[in-house]
Amino acid sequence: MLTIPAQCVAESRIAELDFNNIEFGKIFSDHMLVADYKDNEWQSPQILPYGNMTMSPATSALHYGQSIFEGMKAYKDANGDILLFRPLENFRRLNKSGERMCMPAITEDIFMKGLEQLLRLDAAWVPPTAGCALYIRPFMFATDDFIGVRPSASYRFTIFTCPVGAYYGQPLKVAIEPDYVRSAEGGAGFAKAAGNYGAALLPARKMQERGYHQLIWTDAKEHKYIEESGTMNLMFVIDGKLITPPVSTTILAGITRDSVLQLAKDLGYTVEERKVSIDELVEAHKAGKLQEAFGTGTAATIAQIATIHYNGEDMDLPAVEDREISNHISTELDKIKTGETPDTHNWVHRIRL
Ligand code: COI
C-alpha cells in the first residue's frame, strides 16, 4: 500500500466555510495531491497544502492544450464514513481522455490511494448537509517548457477538492444551438479535455445573453440530432419512455448518465438509447408527449429543464413536481450516494475514518 508523504497545513481554513451556504467551486479544502511524470514514469506523489503552483511561461499545456480533468463527488453517511461514488469510472475515463490527448496513463494506485489519503486528511471538509458534497477535481496537464508542437514529455497530475452546493440553483431554460459545433465524429468530444470547455464558452455566453442558462449541442453534420448540454448529458421522457442519445466519439460518457439509465431499468422504466432529433422533440411537445427533460452530470446531478428554445419558440415543459421518472431516479440515486439504501451495483467506495 502506497503511503504518501504529506506536508500538512499549520492551521486549517475550515472556519471560513459556512456549511449552510456553500457556493459551487469557490472555496478549496486545505490540501492537494501532486504527482509528476518525468523520465517515462510517475514519480512518488505528495500531499501539499492547497496553493499556487509556479510554472514556466512556456509550459506546453498553456499553448497546445494537453490538459484533461475529471469531476467526482464524496458524501458523508450517517456514521461519518466518506462515500465516493464510482471513483474507478472517473479513473478510467481520465485515462481515456489522456490517451486521446497523447498523455500518459495515471496509475490506479496513485489515483485511488492518493484520493483516499487526501480525503482522510480533509475529511472535515465533506459537507454533512443534504444537497451538498465534496467536489473532487483530478486533473493532468503537460509541463514541458518547450514551444514546439509535440506531446510533452513531462506532466503533472493533481487532485484538489472543494465543498459544493447545487451547481444549478433552479430549473433551466436551455436553447438548441443552430450554428456552433462542439464536437464532430473523429474529434475529441468524448474526452474531458479542457479545450472542449474553452471552445464552448462563446456560444454559451451568446445564449446566456438571450436569457438561456445553457445551450443544447446538436450534431456537426446536420444540426439535426441532440448531443449534450454544456455541463451535462441530456435525457427526455417522451410518452412515458426515458430516451437519451447514445454515447459516441462526440459525446462525453457521463457516469451520472450511466447510473441514471441503470436505475431507470432497475425501477422498471422503459429506456431507449438512440438518436433524438430536434423534430422529434418539437412534435412530441406539440402532441403533449414531451413530459420531462433533464441533464445529468456530476456537478449538475439531475438538473431539471423547464424550457427548451428552438427556432424562435420556447417549449415550456410540465412542472418539475409532476415529473415522475426523473424525480424517482433522483431520489434513489441520492439515497445510494449517501448510503441510505443498499448499494446493489457496488457503486459506493467507502472510506472508514
Ligand atoms: C462535472 O460535472 O463534474 C463537470 O466536470 C462539469 C463542469 C463543472 C465542468
Side-chain angles (χ1 to χ4, degrees):
M1 171 151 165
L2 186 91
T3 302
I4 301 168
Q7 238 181 68
C8 297
V9 293
E11 199 178 337
S12 172
R13 287 177 285 101
I14 197 152
E16 293 168 19
L17 178 66
D18 172 3
F19 276 109
N20 295 312
N21 188 13
I22 310 179
E23 254 188 275
F24 191 97
K26 286 210 169 149
I27 295 200
F28 304 102
S29 317
D30 286 326
H31 298 95
M32 61 186 182
L33 177 92
V34 176
D36 287 323
Y37 181 90
K38 61 175 181 183
D39 303 328
N40 297 316
E41 61 184 355
W42 286 102
Q43 311 296 306
S44 304
Q46 310 171 61
I47 289 178
L48 300 173
Y50 175 86
N52 294 347
M53 297 173 175
T54 58
M55 60 175 77
S56 152
T59 297
S60 66
L62 300 178
H63 299 269
Y64 308 122
Q66 275 187 299
S67 178
I68 56 174
F69 70 97
E70 272 303 320
M72 51 208 287
K73 277 181 177 166
Y75 302 82
K76 258 190 193 151
D77 76 357
N79 303 320
D81 289 352
I82 297 175
L83 308 185
L84 282 162
F85 188 69
R86 306 187 75 181
L88 279 170
E89 296 302 322
N90 294 91
F91 160 72
R92 292 186 188 114
R93 192 172 63 184
L94 185 75
N95 281 340
K96 278 197 189 132
S97 301
E99 190 185 356
R100 180 63 181 83
M101 299 302 289
C102 214
M103 299 164 82
I106 189 72
T107 66
E108 187 176 326
D109 213 36
I110 294 178
F111 188 97
M112 288 304 297
K113 298 283 169 20
L115 186 57
E116 275 204 39
Q117 206 163 311
L118 184 66
L119 292 188
R120 284 180 189 284
L121 201 55
D122 283 341
W125 290 81
V126 184
T129 335
C132 297
L134 188 73
Y135 186 78
I136 300 164
R137 174 51 60 90
F139 68 109
M140 192 198 294
F141 61 99
T143 52
D144 276 7
D145 46 351
F146 174 65
I147 57 161
V149 182
R150 57 133 169 85
S152 179
S154 63
Y155 295 86
R156 173 160 285 193
F157 171 69
T158 299
I159 307 179
F160 66 83
T161 69
C162 50
V164 295
Y167 191 77
Y168 295 115
Q170 71 212 88
L172 303 175
K173 287 181 75 173
V174 297
I176 295 177
E177 171 58 54
D179 300 313
Y180 287 105
V181 165
R182 173 184 173 274
S183 157
E185 276 171 34
F190 68 90
K192 224 164 158 54
N196 284 337
Y197 293 79
L201 293 174
L202 177 70
R205 189 169 70 187
K206 287 188 172 180
M207 284 301 183
Q208 282 152 12
E209 284 165 0
R210 292 170 52 192
Y212 298 93
H213 298 103
Q214 263 301 344
L215 48 76
I216 290 183
W217 296 108
T218 50
D219 70 282
K221 272 192 201 144
E222 299 175 274
H223 286 296
K224 185 172 170 190
Y225 294 101
I226 302 295
E227 298 250 308
E228 60 176 78
S229 186
T231 55
M232 322 178 281
N233 294 110
L234 290 170
M235 301 205 179
F236 306 94
V237 176
I238 300 177
D239 206 11
K241 292 181 197 152
L242 182 64
I243 304 172
T244 192
V247 289
S248 66
T249 56
T250 63
I251 294 183
L252 187 87
I255 296 161
T256 308
R257 173 191 181 281
D258 182 71
S259 311
V260 165
L261 294 181
Q262 183 59 56
L263 284 181
K265 289 175 199 160
D266 294 352
L267 295 169
Y269 296 113
T270 304
V271 171
E272 292 180 5
E273 279 182 83
R274 60 161 173 81
K275 287 187 168 196
V276 182
S277 69
I278 303 172
D279 287 350
E280 179 180 0
L281 290 185
V282 171
E283 289 309 313
H285 182 255
K286 266 195 207 138
K289 291 183 176 172
L290 181 56
Q291 294 149 324
E292 308 184 27
F294 57 99
T296 62
T298 298
T301 61
I302 288 184
Q304 294 291 353
I305 292 174
T307 302
I308 302 175
H309 177 91
Y310 179 61
N311 204 16
E313 302 252 340
D314 274 350
M315 297 187 277
D316 291 322
L317 272 61
V320 167
E321 52 281 12
D322 296 335
R323 300 183 181 190
E324 180 203 322
I325 297 185
S326 48
N327 286 330
H328 192 177
I329 295 171
S330 176
T331 306
E332 290 305 311
L333 189 57
D334 280 350
K335 285 203 283 192
I336 296 173
K337 287 175 173 175
T338 51
E340 282 171 58
T341 210
D343 171 27
T344 53
H345 294 289
N346 262 326
W347 283 342
V348 171
H349 180 95
R350 182 178 294 271
I351 304 177
R352 289 203 167 81
L353 298 178

